[in-house]
Structures are given as structure tokens and as C-alpha cells.
Amino acid sequence: MKILPSRVKVNQATGGKPLYRRLWFWAGLGIGGGIVASIYGISLIDRTLPDQAELNAVLREQTLTIKAADGTILQQQGEATREQLKLEQIPDNLKKAFIASEDRRFRQHNGFDPQGIVRAGLNNLRSQGVVEGGSTITQQLTRILFLKQEQTIWRKLKEVRLAQKMEHELTKDQILERYLNLVYLGGGAYGVADAAWVYFSKSPDQLTLAEMATIAGLAPAPSLYAPDKNPEAAIRRRNLVLQRMQEDGVITPEQRQAALQEPLTLKSSLPKRVQVESPYFTSYIQKELPKYVPAKMLASEGLVVETTLNPTWQKVAEEAVAKTLRNQGRWENFKQAAMVAIDPRSGEIKAMVGGKDFGKNQFNRVTQAQRQPGSTFKGFVYATAIASGKSPYDSYEDAPFVVDGYEPKNYSERFRGSMNIRDALTRSINIIAVKVLIDVGFTPTIKLAHDMGIKSELKPTYSLALGSNEVNLLELTSAYGSFATQGLHTEPHGITRILNRQGKVIWSANFKSKRALDSDSAAIMTWMLRNVVEEGTGAAAQLGERPVAGKTGTSDEARDLWFIGYIPQMVTGVWLGNDDNRPTYGSSGSAAYTWHEFMEKAAEGMPVEKFPKRPKLEGRKGTIKAQSIKPKQVLNRSIDSDDDSEGEKARNSDDSGSSRRRKRRRSYSQEEQQSSDSTPRRRRRDRSEESNSSNSSSESSTPRRRSRRVESDSPPPPRTRRSSSPDNSSGSSGSSSPQPSWRERLRPSN
């Protein structure tokens, strides 16, 4: 076969070799394939990286920061930075010390610095050790925020790619600020502010040049260069940082020499991030978070939770509770106390004290303790009656009364005869409260209580009027806030906003007020509850010229002592008692006194606002339809002559007590005088005698009756002095003031 001339020419032009045997062919193919492989590899890496929007993260993953209303940090969890500083708040020499130590070409590269890697390798070879790293500050930041610490090629490639992306998203100053706030520097310190505190108990602006160099030298290996564990290595590392700062022209030789001669003087402190302020409140916040944030986000994201807590009021609340436990608690045999303050207009919780000592017992008595509210529940019974169209001046008979085998009794076992609703609430008369409940019905009363904020189950029993159904302090306080807002109820809450790692708001509070009670009925109830404070069992809560409304409450054997009170701008609830439900020797006057101690200081500087005027009573129409209960059996007995005499004495005692209360604002001390003549052991014996007497009376009656003696809001008077003791804790000590006993004289004043 003949070879064509044209093919001969081609072979001659190519040197007689096929194309696939040419070097330039393979070189080109290799370069092209490398480019394609690089593009594919980069795209593969990019698919595993965070979204571009996440590159603005300012927090580590799995961190939680809870802040008060003024921005102060209450608690942090995880690898969190207590103080996030702006770049301008960080001393210039401290910034330059980190740049000299970690990334001398920080301002020149685009996130990845091959030149720096070569330089670091040469320096490490010369030193026969690792004295300089090749990662840029940007690479270190991406590792902190997004990557794990495993030493793999794949992780390094992702780190480089992320650094390049971050350089396009953020400025150099933004990168440096985030890095200096997040870098781990040993000893539990995250960021330069934490490190300055942990090692030197200083703020960053108080550090010396030598101390700045010491902190900057920690970044590559905090455990190796920790000044509190390895001071010699820390000094060598500090001196190297100072040398680099001089080489870079950041400091003069004289400044370096002075810093080299400075001894390493440590003043160690625990990281501020381990401190927890208001622990009962922050634990409540953490339990509330799942309502607003998915569980996956809580577990993996870094979150900042902004709360409603007022740190100033919180401190005052803690002091008031501690003072009561220290003084009254010692004398009246209660070991625990709780308090919560709420802005009723917004539902924001401003202060919360859940017990005596969170470190010993984390049980929150504001939100977790279910206790009998005693007479504080009467507020809902009477509110239902007023809303159904009844007048505060409608009268009922305070006399022996049995309904379907249930016999309510006043704590003093006395009867006053005919009384109107307002006075019955003021004196906290049990029998009339039950009669009012029968007139208005279980269903309307329970519905109103739930609408106003009570969430606990309420059972339709006659003892409901006397607070036999258990509730917690938060819901009871919130419900009374509905009186303060003229019948509007807003859900109580402690969180205003939740922010993600990028600082974006992912949830914000938007609780709307709902009408629970008509405004006229709420205003009438406030007028009646003001009388409880001005003339009745809540006199210890008076605040001078500032109007106060509220209600006391005491459960059986004074196991629970309550006061829920409010001014137009704030509603505060107080509970005193024992976790094991043991009886106390106290009265609800102690709770009202604790309320006063808190509110007197919390209300300083707050404008004095008046409650709405009482609306006209004539021609009112009910907004709630009463559903009167039809008992199967009702037994009414008349008051005998002895009871009449007792009732008259009680009324006279109440009147004189009211007069004295107007002269002496706090009734707490007066209530103490009432019982000061008997020791705790004597009081217990008196209670036992009353119980035995009641039991024998009950056994002799047919049919057997259930007796409930819940009220008074003060300890029962000894039987030997019954005729001279006041009824239903009106706050007086009788028609004449007895001399203080030895117990009264020894009582601590603070």
C-alpha cells in the first residue's frame, strides 16, 4: 500500500510521533484536568460549608446567654464569652500583640496566606519546634465558629475555603473583633476580656504591655503556655511576642526592654461566665425556652435570650425575702419564702425569688409549688358576684351555717351577724364567702378565675370559696394583676427576644391583652381590695400616700401565708411557709410586711398613679350570668346570746384596731403583740385544744359535718384570752395594747 504524500508531510511536521506521545499534550491535559478537578473539589467543599448568611456568626455553637432587661448577663452556658467587646474597646497594643503572634500579614492576605505558611515552616525548622503556626486569624475564626478540631486534610481544606468566603463577607476589623472575643485562652476564658479577668483580675484596658503579650501568647497552645501552670514557658512565649512586636514596629526597643523586665504577677479569678445571677429566674427561663425555640436549635445553636428581669428590683426582692426569713421566719416557724413581681400591663416578670437558697434546693416555689391560696381566692368569688350585678353593700348573715354536710367556720369561731360584701372581704369572713359562692355558682367563678390567669385545676366544691384548690404563686399574682388593669389579662412571661448566632431575632414577645372582667367590676373590686389594706387584714402593706389594693390569705393551721397586692404599675405576690407543709406560728401579716419591704424600695422614683374611681353602683347591669347552686340540705342557726356578745366585742375591737392602724401604718407588729404572751409550745397546745374541741363537737352532731376553718390571716388567740382578742386578724391587738413580752423585746429589728 502506498503512503499518500499529505500523510508523509504530517508525520514529518510532528517528528514522526503520534499526538498522544507528545509531552505538551500530556502537560496540557494534566493542567486542564487539574483545573476541572479543583473546580469540582471546591464545589464539593462548598456544599458542606455553612450558608453565606451564617458567616456573620458572633457566638460559638451550643452556647446560651441569658440577659436581664438592662443587658447585663445573668447566666451563660457552653463555650460562651461573658463580655463581648467592640473593637474600639480593646487596647491597640493588645490587638497588635495578637497580630504579631498569630498572623503578621493579617491586613494583606485574603484569608489564606501561603507566604505565612512558608515562613512559619522555616521558623519552626530553625527552632526545632513549633513556635509559629501557619493558620491565619481568619482561618482560626472559621475553626472556632464552624469546624471541629480534628486534624485532617479535609478539615484543613474546608477551613481555607471558609476563610476565603469570610474575607468576602466581613471586613478585617469585623474578623479581628470576633476573633478576640471568641478565641479560647485557657483557664475557662473565652476572649480577651475573660482572659484579662481570669489571669490578672483586670479589664483589658488596665493591662500592662507585658500582660497583653502574655495573653496573646496563649492562643497557639493555652495549656502549654498557661502562666498559672507553666510560668517559665509563659514568660518565654511572652518575650517572643514582644520581640515580634518590636520587629513589626509596633513597640520601641525601650518599651520591649521595660516589658521584659516586668515580673509575671498573677491575680487569678474564676471566669465570669460561671457566675449565675437570679438563679430561680434563669432556671425558669430555660424551662420556658422550648415553647419558643425548636429543640434542635436549642441543642446546636448559640442563642442570646433577652429577658424582662429588672436587676435592681430583683436585688431588692432578694433582700426583702432574706430579711423576712432571718427575722419573722425564725420566730414564726417558716423556713421558705417566695416572691414574684409582674408588670400587669405587659405581663413582664420583673423580679422572682423562688426560695431561700438555690444552691441547696433548686425547687422554684413561684412556679412549681402548688399550695392552697386560702382567702386570696375570695377575690375571684367576690369579683364574680360583683360582675353578676351584686352591690358591694348587699348583706349576708355571718352565722352558723351548714350546707350539704359542709360547715364553714370563721377562724375565730365567732359570728358578726349581718355584714355587707365589702366588709366581709375586708374582714375575710369565711361563712359569707361560701354563701356568695352558692349565689353566683361554681361554673362562673371557676371560669372567671381561669380567664384572669389561674391555670391550675379548680374543683366545684363549697370549699373553693376558701381557697382549698391548689395554685402556684405566679398564676395567682398574675390573676390579681387583672384587677390592676381594669379587667385585662396579659400572659405572664420572662422573655422579650431570642437572638441566634448571627444576632438576628428569631422570636420576640407579642402577648396580647384579653378582656377577663368588665372594667366597672374590676374598679369596684379594686375599691374593695383597697379597703382590705386600709382597714383590714392587709394593713401592713400600706405605702403612705400611694394607693395599694390587695388580699391576704392563710390556709389551715397557717401552713401557707399569702399576700397578693398591687399598685397600678405593678402586682407582687408573696408566699411564706414550709416545703414539708408543717404548720407555722405566723400570720399573713408577715407576708404583707414582706410585700411592703419590697414595694417601698421598688416603687422609689415611680410616679404615684391613682386607681380608677369607683363607678356608680345604681343601675349597674351584670356582665356575668350567675348560676346559683341549689344545695340538697341547708341548715341555718341563729347566733346565741354569747355569740352576740362575742360579736359585739369583736366589732368594737376591730373598730379600735382600725383607728390604731391609721396611726401606726404597719399592723405586723400589732399582730405579733396579740400572740406574744404565749410561747410556740403554748400556741401549739392551744391549737390542739381547739382541734380536739372541734372534733368532739363534730362527732356528737348528726349527720357528721365536714368542718373547714381556713381563715383569719392571723394565728388563733389562746382560749384563755378569747374575749379580748380581735376576730379575723383585723390587724389590731384588742381594745388596749398589752405590754410587750420578753419575746417581743428580744425580737431582732433587722
Side-chain angles (χ1 to χ4, degrees):
M1 181 176 67
K2 293 183 179 180
I3 299 175
L4 297 175
S6 59
R7 186 171 296 241
V8 173
K9 291 180 180 179
V10 171
N11 287 338
Q12 289 176 351
T14 58
K17 294 181 180 180
L19 187 62
Y20 62 88
R21 295 180 64 185
R22 299 291 182 260
L23 181 62
W24 61 266
F25 172 80
W26 288 107
L29 189 61
I31 293 172
I35 293 172
V36 172
S38 297
I39 294 173
Y40 176 76
I42 291 173
S43 66
L44 190 62
I45 292 173
D46 286 351
R47 285 198 292 269
T48 66
L49 300 181
D51 293 337
Q52 191 169 349
E54 293 187 38
L55 297 177
N56 288 301
V58 294
L59 297 173
R60 291 171 176 260
E61 291 183 343
Q62 298 177 336
T63 61
L64 177 66
T65 301
I66 301 175
K67 294 184 177 181
D70 64 354
T72 57
I73 293 176
L74 300 175
Q75 183 178 2
Q76 288 184 306
Q77 291 183 344
E79 300 174 344
T81 302
R82 183 75 177 192
E83 294 182 74
Q84 289 273 349
L85 301 178
K86 298 294 184 183
L87 192 63
E88 55 268 20
Q89 295 176 290
I90 302 173
D92 195 52
N93 275 341
L94 184 55
K95 292 182 279 191
K96 292 177 178 177
F98 272 92
I99 292 174
S101 172
E102 295 300 300
D103 189 359
R104 301 171 85 171
R105 282 174 33 84
F106 173 68
R107 298 288 178 181
Q108 287 77 45
H109 62 68
N110 67 341
F112 175 64
D113 186 17
Q115 182 177 330
I117 293 175
V118 173
R119 184 188 65 248
L122 292 175
N123 288 338
N124 291 337
L125 285 174
R126 282 196 295 267
S127 303
Q128 295 183 348
V130 180
V131 297
E132 188 173 348
S135 296
T136 65
I137 284 176
T138 312
Q139 286 177 257
Q140 293 181 51
L141 180 59
T142 61
R143 191 187 314 145
I144 290 169
L145 288 173
F146 305 110
L147 302 175
K148 297 180 180 179
Q149 299 298 320
E150 74 269 17
Q151 299 293 328
T152 64
I153 296 296
W154 183 249
R155 196 270 295 166
K156 197 68 177 178
L157 292 173
K158 289 199 291 184
E159 178 185 298
V160 170
R161 184 61 181 152
L162 262 177
Q164 292 173 334
K165 284 178 170 288
M166 186 173 285
E167 290 274 352
H168 283 91
E169 281 295 312
L170 305 174
T171 66
K172 290 287 186 179
D173 283 350
Q174 289 174 321
I175 292 170
L176 184 60
E177 179 183 294
R178 284 164 170 74
Y179 174 76
L180 294 177
N181 276 313
L182 296 173
V183 61
Y184 181 65
L185 297 169
Y190 293 89
V192 295
D194 278 4
W197 177 255
V198 166
Y199 296 114
F200 303 107
S201 298
K202 295 180 178 181
S203 61
D205 60 336
Q206 296 173 325
L207 296 171
T208 66
L209 177 60
E211 291 167 344
M212 292 179 188
T214 301
I215 290 175
L218 289 166
S223 58
L224 178 61
Y225 300 124
D228 55 342
K229 296 178 181 177
N230 196 348
E232 292 183 359
I235 290 174
R236 288 196 300 270
R237 181 67 187 175
R238 176 199 71 179
N239 295 344
L240 178 60
V241 173
L242 290 169
Q243 177 185 332
R244 291 181 183 173
M245 292 178 74
Q246 180 187 333
E247 292 171 355
D248 292 346
V250 174
I251 59 175
T252 64
E254 292 76 17
Q255 288 175 311
R256 175 196 170 199
Q257 191 60 37
L260 290 173
Q261 294 175 354
E262 183 178 314
L264 179 61
T265 305
L266 301 178
K267 187 179 180 182
S268 300
S269 297
L270 288 173
K272 290 184 178 180
R273 69 186 183 86
V274 303
Q275 300 172 5
V276 180
E277 305 292 335
S278 312
Y280 285 109
F281 178 76
T282 55
S283 65
Y284 159 73
I285 292 299
Q286 291 187 58
K287 291 178 180 178
E288 289 290 292
L289 278 174
K291 294 181 181 179
Y292 314 120
V293 179
K296 183 179 180 181
M297 185 177 292
L298 277 175
S300 61
E301 290 288 329
L303 300 177
V304 174
V305 182
E306 297 177 353
T307 73
T308 60
L309 193 80
N310 183 314
T312 302
W313 294 353
Q314 176 67 21
K315 184 178 179 182
V316 172
E318 291 170 356
E319 291 172 351
V321 167
K323 182 178 179 181
T324 294
L325 288 171
R326 186 171 62 247
N327 295 342
Q328 285 77 27
R330 218 174 79 201
W331 293 92
E332 297 181 2
N333 194 39
F334 57 82
K335 306 295 184 184
Q336 284 295 346
M339 176 186 288
V340 63
I342 303 171
D343 181 342
R345 298 167 178 174
S346 64
E348 294 184 350
I349 299 171
K350 296 299 183 181
M352 178 185 288
V353 182
K356 181 179 181 179
D357 188 343
F358 185 84
K360 294 181 179 178
N361 190 332
Q362 291 77 49
F363 184 69
N364 191 335
R365 293 151 194 87
V366 172
T367 60
Q368 294 176 284
Q370 294 292 118
R371 310 288 299 209
Q372 290 185 344
S375 290
T376 57
F377 195 84
K378 291 175 183 174
F380 309 114
V381 176
Y382 287 111
T384 308
I386 295 298
S388 70
K390 286 187 176 294
S391 166
Y393 296 112
D394 286 351
S395 293
Y396 286 82
E397 192 74 16
D398 178 24
F401 174 70
V402 183
V403 54
D404 291 340
Y406 173 76
E407 182 178 11
K409 289 187 177 181
N410 298 326
Y411 204 86
S412 62
E413 299 184 7
R414 300 191 186 109
F415 308 99
R416 299 166 184 263
S418 180
M419 291 187 74
N420 63 48
I421 288 177
R422 184 193 186 208
D423 290 343
L425 178 63
T426 300
R427 304 300 175 200
S428 211
I429 304 301
N430 287 342
I431 292 172
I432 292 179
V434 174
K435 289 183 175 181
V436 171
L437 174 64
I438 292 172
D439 278 357
V440 297
F442 295 130
T443 301
T445 302
I446 291 173
K447 182 180 185 305
L448 178 62
H450 283 154
D451 289 345
M452 292 181 67
I454 299 296
K455 295 183 179 297
S456 298
E457 180 185 5
L458 301 175
K459 298 177 181 178
T461 60
Y462 294 116
S463 62
L464 173 70
L466 310 184
S468 63
N469 287 237
E470 295 178 342
V471 299
N472 67 52
L473 180 59
L474 178 62
E475 61 186 333
L476 185 59
T477 305
S478 172
Y480 263 74
S482 302
F483 291 131
T485 55
Q486 301 182 58
L488 295 174
H489 176 255
T490 306
E491 187 77 10
H493 58 277
I495 301 174
T496 54
R497 298 197 308 173
I498 302 174
L499 289 71
N500 64 10
R501 296 176 66 203
Q502 292 77 39
K504 294 181 180 179
V505 177
I506 58 176
W507 182 88
S508 60
N510 187 27
F511 295 94
K512 303 294 185 182
S513 298
K514 296 180 180 179
R515 173 65 61 185
L517 179 66
D518 68 277
S519 58
D520 282 355
S521 296
I524 293 172
M525 279 303 302
T526 292
W527 172 71
M528 292 169 62
L529 290 168
R530 284 186 65 185
N531 203 50
V532 173
V533 175
E534 293 169 2
E535 302 289 340
T537 57
Q542 293 175 14
L543 292 175
E545 298 301 318
R546 190 183 293 273
V548 175
K551 185 69 186 78
T552 52
T554 308
S555 65
D556 282 327
E557 298 188 82
R559 298 175 193 274
D560 303 280
L561 311 175
W562 304 83
F563 182 73
I564 315 296
Y566 58 93
I567 61 177
Q569 304 100 311
M570 194 190 313
V571 56
T572 300
V574 176
W575 169 85
L576 310 174
N578 293 305
D579 287 340
D580 60 5
N581 212 31
R582 282 182 301 160
T584 75
Y585 307 138
S587 73
S588 57
S590 297
Y593 175 75
T594 306
W595 187 96
H596 171 273
E597 289 294 289
F598 166 71
M599 288 295 295
E600 187 176 48
K601 295 179 181 179
E604 286 180 0
M606 190 183 295
V608 176
E609 291 189 18
K610 303 295 184 182
F611 289 116
K613 291 183 178 180
R614 192 205 72 186
K616 293 182 179 180
L617 301 178
E618 298 77 14
R620 286 181 61 247
K621 292 184 179 180
T623 57
I624 292 177
K625 184 177 181 180
Q627 299 178 27
S628 179
I629 302 167
K630 297 180 180 179
K632 296 178 181 178
Q633 184 182 35
V634 175
L635 176 61
N636 289 295
R637 292 185 299 174
S638 61
I639 305 175
D640 58 28
S641 58
D642 290 340
D643 287 330
D644 282 332
S645 175
E646 295 277 5
E648 185 62 32
K649 288 180 181 179
R651 282 192 288 273
N652 292 336
S653 173
D654 287 337
D655 293 340
S656 64
S658 298
S659 174
R660 283 195 302 276
R661 276 194 304 275
R662 284 189 286 270
K663 294 178 182 178
R664 301 197 307 180
R665 191 174 55 179
R666 298 179 189 171
S667 71
Y668 173 76
S669 61
Q670 298 163 1
E671 291 178 1
E672 290 302 328
Q673 289 175 4
Q674 167 185 319
S675 55
S676 62
D677 291 339
S678 58
T679 65
R681 183 175 298 176
R682 171 68 177 274
R683 294 186 202 182
R684 189 180 295 114
R685 185 181 65 196
D686 290 337
R687 291 169 188 264
S688 177
E689 289 171 356
E690 281 196 357
S691 176
N692 293 337
S693 174
S694 173
N695 289 341
S696 62
S697 173
S698 176
E699 289 172 1
S700 62
S701 62
T702 305
R704 183 171 297 177
R705 297 166 184 165
R706 298 187 303 276
S707 174
R708 185 166 187 81
R709 193 179 303 124
V710 178
E711 189 42 45
S712 159
D713 305 333
S714 68
R719 284 193 175 272
T720 56
R721 304 187 60 187
R722 179 173 174 176
S723 61
S724 62
S725 298
D727 184 22
N728 267 307
S729 78
S730 62
S732 70
S733 57
S735 58
S736 62
S737 300
Q739 292 296 319
S741 70
W742 65 270
R743 294 179 71 253
E744 185 66 25
R745 292 195 298 271
L746 291 177
R747 184 180 307 283
S749 59
N750 293 308

